[in-house]
Amino acid sequence: MSLNPQARWHTFSSQDEINQAALQRILKAADEAIAKYGDFLIVLAGGSTPKAVYQLLAKADADWSKWHVYHNDDRCLPVDHVERNSKMAREAWLDHVAIPPSQIHDIPAELGNVAGAKAYAETLKGVRTFDLVILGLGEDGHTASLFPGQVVDNSADAVPVYNSPKPPADRITISQQRLNNTHEVMFLVTGAGKQEAVDHWRNGVAIPATLIQSPNGVDVYCFGVTLK
């Protein structure tokens, strides 16, 4: 199936509205995947907007035993560092539901970007197409840890990131190619600071976020930006 570069834009009038819409989208994707494949493979984003959605998921009713959780990127910091995406997701959601620990796949970024990426690529080896990838959008247009001006590395399913323009410099990201190997993509974009990146995206400027596509297109959930 050829990739469909079409992005579908959805605007919401409040933070609560976008959070609820994202929650329902995730739960629906889970139900559909479990019915079709017997399990649900979700890739999480970091950031404040996803955190609010994860807090809602912590109170949701779902067949948690069938969920498999991955992260699209993480920072090379100690496991318990406040800026680790895995720590945020566990505290907001994963520690509060009955997903088997063996089905929560944190990126071992504490090993450093090279060793950690190699280990996570092994974790992803043989894993089927993801069901839903959740992504954010940086003010510079980056997503996951795919940054402007950096070479796109698709040499493995998880790759090291050097010289990130945002500290820490060393990170690990799932590669563009592997993120695209998914049935659905949902971007969560909130705040006026993202306006320029959204304008670039909608005007056809090549920003890293536009590298992420799926055969079923991409849905961009927006609050606090204007679609021009």
Side-chain angles (χ1 to χ4, degrees), residues 63-226:
D63 187 357
W64 299 118
S65 69
K66 306 286 177 56
W67 289 51
H68 293 254
V69 177
Y70 301 87
H71 292 269
N72 63 43
D73 74 330
D74 216 336
R75 301 165 173 89
C76 292
L77 297 166
V79 172
D80 59 353
H81 194 285
V82 67
E83 291 185 4
R84 280 291 296 265
N85 290 339
S86 54
K87 177 179 171 67
M88 180 274 281
R90 285 180 177 275
E91 290 183 347
W93 166 31
L94 301 174
D95 285 347
H96 309 285
V97 298
I99 299 174
S102 63
Q103 293 170 202
I104 299 173
H105 306 283
D106 292 348
I107 298 175
E110 65 278 2
L111 300 178
N113 59 359
V114 174
K118 197 170 290 185
Y120 210 55
E122 279 297 313
T123 295
L124 293 170
K125 189 175 286 183
V127 173
R128 67 170 178 82
T129 297
F130 297 131
D131 295 304
L132 177 62
V133 169
I134 302 172
L135 292 162
L137 177 68
E139 295 181 4
D140 60 356
H142 85 269
T143 194
S145 280
L146 306 173
F147 291 99
Q150 296 195 345
V151 174
V152 178
D153 182 358
N154 280 315
S155 61
D157 284 350
V159 293
V161 177
Y162 306 87
N163 302 317
S164 159
K166 297 177 68 176
D170 288 354
R171 299 174 177 224
I172 296 165
T173 190
I174 294 184
S175 64
Q176 173 223 4
Q177 199 166 277
R178 187 61 178 94
L179 288 171
N180 285 349
N181 183 10
T182 183
H183 296 299
E184 295 184 65
V185 174
M186 177 173 63
F187 279 86
L188 296 176
V189 181
T190 62
K194 310 296 174 66
Q195 186 67 57
E196 185 178 7
V198 167
D199 291 345
H200 284 330
W201 188 342
R202 289 173 62 80
N203 290 327
V205 177
I207 61 172
T210 62
L211 294 169
I212 307 303
Q213 303 168 12
S214 83
N216 297 316
V218 169
D219 288 284
V220 189
Y221 284 33
C222 299
F223 166 61
V225 296
T226 304

